[in-house]
Amino acid sequence: MVEKFDAIVIGAGPSGNAAAYTLAKQGLNVLQLERGEYPGAKNVQGGIMYAAELEKIIPDFREDCPTERHIIEQRVWLLGDDNYIGTNYRSEAFNSDKPNRYTIIRANIDKWFSEKIREAGGLQICETTVTELIRDASGKVIGVRTDREGGEIHADVVIMADGVNALLARRTGFQQELAPQNVALAVKEILFIDPELIQQRFGLKDEEGVVIEIMGKVTKGMVGTAFLYTNKESLTIGIGCLISDFKEGAIPPYKMLEDLKNHPVIKPLIEGAEMKEYAAHMIPEGGYKAVPQLYGDGWMVVGDAAHFNNAAHREGSNLAMASGRMAAETVIELKQAGKPFNAANLAAYKKKLDDSFIMKDLKKYRNLPGIMHENKQFFGAYPDTLTAAAHSWFTVDSVDKRTKEKEIMKSFVKKRSIMGLVGDAIKLVRAVR
């Protein structure tokens, strides 16, 4: 006999874990399938966890969740060749009993979350690849077929949380092939370092943490960003750019990461650190216009597979957990009401998303990905000009300030022209309004 579950969740990332736990906690018979040798083996993330969304799923998560440092300071840097312009926000309020954000090591968090799912009654099977969705004569998804012997499994509904590649959705025809301008390739390293050095170099105490988001010359004119996060006994550093730009350029990702580590501003912060882990992964960057069909007869898609990533604010895991929770809540509500899991009823999932911060934020920044992709001056000409202008302004010499102002303005006009500057300003306003 073919075994049947209330729900099958494919993938053990933040969205899949959120869905599986929410379902299991409400007593549903849920199966979570993961192709890695253990839960989270295929998961790679820069290292930020957002408390607000996890708290909705596991209210007391802080009691035993293996977080690294709670973030009290956010820095944003625009790097030049050997300098940077930056801004930061630091607050003692973030030292509260319930901090807002944490740096994390994904392997530790994934193991913890998986244990919570099993404790709630969920069944997890690893080293199992789902090869296809099973559909009945009407086209409704009724289960999955795996690479295991006798690997046909049925369920009332299937939740796909299999990452940005969304292989199942694409194989089944629910999604189109990934457009290279809608996906970024990021590489990162975890660097071991003495905790005392972390505190000294970043101005921290106890388990306080700092996040540095980086733009500018380090991406070599390509659309992308970099980051540096503080953990308890390590630093996470990484950089990513659109795959379409990597295809056109001649610089491989690992070389960009090495250049970032050797930048005069970054190098002193990581000096003496030893590499523990290197990883690469793809990130959905297409925004609102790249979001695919999210539900159908017997299926839903969540997290990166649904292109839920707010590139403007570098937020992803919170959108993933929220979408996984909303998909699970939709299943629970339909199960309790005794309603079938057809497209008309699963549309309630899309309604939840539309009413949430996920779709509202993605819609707000819907024009940003296209504008960034089509206007590379934001990643080349402007970092050069802005850092040069700052250097000139803060250099004390015999040149009067009015003359410096004129020289700085001329440098901007030379790079972009008056009409170009005005046009760029209008584009940015349209992208973020």
Side-chain angles (χ1 to χ4, degrees):
M1 293 180 62
V2 177
E3 192 166 4
K4 184 177 181 181
F5 292 82
D6 292 323
I8 294 174
V9 178
I10 303 169
S15 61
N17 287 338
Y21 179 83
T22 303
L23 291 165
K25 195 68 175 177
Q26 290 298 313
L28 272 71
N29 187 19
V30 56
L31 170 65
Q32 185 179 29
L33 299 173
E34 164 61 30
R35 64 190 176 94
E37 59 182 316
Y38 55 87
K42 299 294 184 179
N43 297 335
V44 178
Q45 180 190 336
I48 299 293
M49 186 181 73
Y50 302 87
E53 287 308 316
L54 183 56
E55 200 166 23
K56 292 177 181 177
I57 301 165
I58 306 177
D60 59 351
F61 80 90
R62 292 182 179 86
E63 293 182 4
D64 58 356
C65 184
T67 57
E68 290 292 304
R69 293 178 179 269
H70 64 272
I71 299 166
I72 67 161
E73 183 176 353
Q74 174 81 49
R75 303 178 189 176
V76 180
W77 288 357
L78 180 69
L79 296 190
D81 289 320
D82 58 1
N83 50 30
Y84 79 96
I85 299 173
T87 184
N88 70 299
Y89 177 74
R90 183 178 181 124
S91 174
E92 278 298 312
F94 289 140
N95 271 322
S96 67
D97 293 336
K98 294 185 175 182
N100 179 254
R101 295 183 296 164
Y102 298 86
T103 56
I104 60 170
I105 302 296
R106 274 295 302 270
N108 299 335
I109 293 293
D110 293 334
K111 180 181 178 181
W112 170 84
F113 216 147
S114 294
E115 289 173 353
K116 294 293 182 183
I117 294 169
R118 291 193 294 271
E119 290 172 5
L123 174 62
Q124 294 175 325
I125 301 179
C126 296
E127 296 185 287
T128 302
T129 300
V130 177
T131 57
E132 64 178 312
L133 299 176
I134 300 173
R135 293 193 280 182
D136 64 15
S138 68
K140 181 181 183 296
V141 172
I142 58 171
V144 301
R145 185 168 286 108
T146 74
D147 60 351
R148 289 176 175 264
E149 185 177 351
E152 183 172 320
I153 312 168
H154 288 186
D156 291 331
V157 64
V158 174
I159 299 175
M160 289 175 277
D162 51 340
V164 64
N165 281 313
L167 294 176
L168 282 172
R170 287 196 283 127
R171 287 173 187 163
T172 315
F174 295 155
Q175 291 188 26
Q176 297 179 345
E177 292 295 318
L178 289 172
Q181 69 271 19
N182 289 337
V183 185
L185 176 63
V187 292
K188 76 164 188 176
E189 289 181 359
I190 294 180
L191 309 173
F192 264 140
I193 190 169
D194 188 332
E196 290 187 5
L197 289 178
I198 295 176
Q199 294 183 348
Q200 292 171 10
R201 293 175 182 178
F202 294 90
L204 303 171
K205 64 180 186 296
D206 301 325
E207 294 187 356
E208 295 175 341
V210 168
V211 167
I212 307 176
E213 303 288 355
I214 302 165
M215 298 173 285
K217 294 296 293 293
V218 289
T219 62
K220 318 297 184 184
M222 294 188 282
V223 179
T225 58
F227 57 86
L228 179 61
Y229 303 152
T230 57
N231 305 316
K232 288 180 179 178
E233 299 179 346
S234 63
L235 301 171
T236 302
I237 187 169
I239 190 168
C241 295
L242 294 181
I243 288 179
S244 56
D245 284 352
F246 276 128
K247 290 176 66 176
E248 296 172 2
I251 303 175
Y254 70 85
K255 177 62 167 59
M256 293 183 66
L257 181 56
E258 283 303 311
D259 290 347
L260 172 65
K261 291 164 58 181
N262 287 304
H263 191 280
V265 173
I266 303 299
K267 190 173 182 178
L269 297 175
I270 65 174
E271 188 173 3
E274 179 183 353
M275 186 180 75
K276 173 187 177 184
E277 175 186 329
Y278 175 90
H281 68 123
M282 294 195 297
I283 304 171
E285 296 282 352
Y288 183 80
K289 296 180 180 179
V291 173
Q293 178 67 24
L294 298 171
Y295 65 93
D297 285 330
W299 63 272
M300 289 179 284
V301 61
V302 297
D304 280 1
H307 280 253
F308 290 152
N309 181 57
N310 185 341
H313 292 268
R314 314 310 305 160
E315 296 177 12
S317 63
N318 55 334
L319 280 72
M321 288 188 290
S323 63
R325 171 180 58 81
M326 292 176 197
E329 289 172 348
T330 302
V331 174
I332 293 166
E333 291 164 4
L334 293 178
K335 190 78 173 177
Q336 291 174 343
K339 295 182 178 180
F341 294 91
N342 55 32
N345 290 330
L346 290 176
Y349 167 54
K350 178 62 162 54
K351 178 65 166 57
K352 290 178 184 290
L353 291 168
D354 288 340
D355 292 340
S356 75
F357 75 97
I358 296 178
M359 297 305 283
K360 289 179 180 179
D361 284 350
L362 291 181
K363 191 171 184 179
K364 170 180 168 61
Y365 298 109
R366 62 190 179 278
N367 294 320
L368 183 61
I371 287 175
M372 293 295 103
H373 179 66
E374 296 168 4
N375 296 271
K376 302 296 177 62
Q377 64 270 19
F378 293 120
F379 299 88
Y382 280 112
D384 269 341
T385 311
L386 285 168
T387 52
H391 184 81
S392 173
W393 186 255
F394 291 111
T395 298
V396 179
D397 49 27
S398 57
V399 180
D400 66 275
K401 298 301 185 282
R402 188 177 297 277
T403 298
K404 286 195 173 190
E405 289 175 357
K406 291 179 179 178
E407 290 175 349
I408 290 171
M409 190 59 201
K410 286 180 181 178
S411 69
F412 278 93
V413 173
K414 183 178 180 180
K415 284 280 187 180
R416 289 295 297 151
S417 80
I418 293 292
M419 291 302 296
L421 292 170
V422 173
D424 290 343
I426 293 173
K427 290 171 186 174
L428 283 178
V429 171
R430 287 177 175 173
V432 301
R433 68 179 181 180

